[in-house]
Amino acid sequence: DAGITQSPRHKVTETGTPVTLRCHQTENHRYMYWYRQDPGHGLRLIHYSYGVKDTDKGEVSDGYSVSRSKTEDFLLTLESATSSQTSVYFCAINQLAGSGEQYFGPGTRLTVT
Amino acid sequence: AQKITQTQPGMFVQEKEAVTLDCTYDTSDPSYGLFWYKQPSSGEMIFLIYQGSYDQQNATEGRYSLNFQKARKSANLVISASQLGDSAMYFCAMREVNYGGSQGNLIFGKGTKLSVKP
């Protein structure tokens, strides 16, 4: 158990509204990631963070912003949600030891109507 | 260009039989890691097995083994003695160490849905 939680777990929102998803980890991992999962696409990286206030874009970052003011929290914000952002969002951390595998949170299912 | 290719959208296997899930990758980074994840219908992503590009032996974890053929750029997952609980989506992923650093992000394939028949 990598101690990763995501909130909310499910959300339905309307087009044009702002949405913030939270990822919380309890094990002081430096690297954190946000992915989205869509049918036929696997998981695609949105943004990642390599430390407090240090973030960078991933493959599908348009329409998303992130913030990391504390080691344990990584926030993903949709400034103005669109139907194309309906997806399942996963947060992940990097395991420093061993192979450096990533461990994932339980996911957030977001529906934009 | 697609970096991770999983050519089997769906597969069926009889319970207790072995099954191979295909994964090919493309990279010019000499140092990389290959991962397999399982996603059951409940939705969580479960790490299964890892293979480093310099590892001499194929990785094994219980009933899971990774058939790593470096020259062919393939990293197939072999599940021995399939169980009903193995029914899930399986994702192959790669990390390019030099281009992404030791903490580089993972690049995922589109997944293979495995169904185990009783």
Side-chain angles (χ1 to χ4, degrees):
Chain A
D1 183 4
I4 308 169
T5 58
Q6 293 184 232
S7 58
R9 295 291 314 280
H10 302 271
K11 186 170 182 67
V12 180
T13 192
E14 294 185 348
T15 298
T17 59
V19 177
T20 295
L21 308 183
R22 178 182 184 236
C23 177
H24 179 77
Q25 53 120 342
T26 59
E27 298 187 8
N28 208 35
H29 293 284
R30 180 182 171 196
Y31 281 76
M32 299 182 74
Y33 306 80
W34 276 108
Y35 292 89
R36 61 177 288 174
Q37 182 180 21
D38 304 291
H41 287 278
L43 276 77
R44 293 179 291 174
L45 183 69
I46 306 172
H47 281 279
Y48 67 99
S49 170
Y50 45 97
V52 172
K53 298 186 179 178
D54 290 324
T55 64
D56 206 347
K57 297 179 179 180
E59 177 188 356
V60 290
S61 59
D62 288 347
Y64 302 94
S65 62
V66 289
S67 65
R68 193 162 176 206
S69 59
K70 297 184 293 184
T71 299
E72 58 266 35
D73 289 326
F74 191 31
L75 304 181
L76 177 70
T77 297
L78 291 64
E79 301 288 350
S80 178
T82 67
S83 58
S84 66
Q85 292 176 312
T86 293
S87 188
V88 179
Y89 292 86
F90 285 98
C91 174
I93 57 89
N94 245 62
Q95 185 73 16
L96 291 177
S99 61
E101 64 270 21
Q102 289 188 3
Y103 285 94
F104 288 80
T108 294
R109 183 174 294 276
L110 176 68
T111 302
V112 184
T113 61
Chain B
Q2 199 168 359
K3 295 229 174 184
I4 296 285
T5 303
Q6 296 181 252
T7 58
Q8 307 150 312
M11 288 189 68
F12 288 91
V13 65
Q14 201 69 38
E15 191 178 10
K16 299 181 184 178
E17 292 185 350
V19 62
T20 297
L21 306 183
D22 294 341
C23 173
T24 58
Y25 60 92
D26 183 28
T27 181
S28 55
D29 189 340
S31 183
Y32 53 89
L34 297 158
F35 303 79
W36 277 91
Y37 284 84
K38 172 184 179 181
Q39 186 178 42
S41 59
S42 53
E44 70 267 33
M45 294 288 289
I46 302 168
F47 166 70
L48 292 179
I49 195 167
Y50 164 81
Q51 180 83 43
S53 59
Y54 293 117
D55 292 343
Q56 295 296 313
Q57 294 187 332
N58 288 342
T60 60
E61 289 287 346
R63 293 186 298 110
Y64 304 108
S65 60
L66 201 152
N67 184 0
F68 180 46
Q69 299 187 44
K70 195 169 184 176
R72 297 181 61 185
K73 293 188 175 181
S74 74
N76 298 339
L77 177 69
V78 180
I79 305 175
S80 63
S82 296
Q83 301 173 356
L84 296 178
D86 293 334
S87 294
M89 282 290 289
Y90 289 82
F91 292 96
C92 179
M94 176 176 69
R95 170 184 292 130
E96 294 171 313
V97 174
N98 288 323
Y99 297 152
S102 61
Q103 299 289 333
N105 60 284
L106 298 182
I107 304 164
F108 284 83
K110 296 182 178 183
T112 295
K113 184 174 183 179
L114 177 67
S115 299
V116 181
K117 298 187 289 184

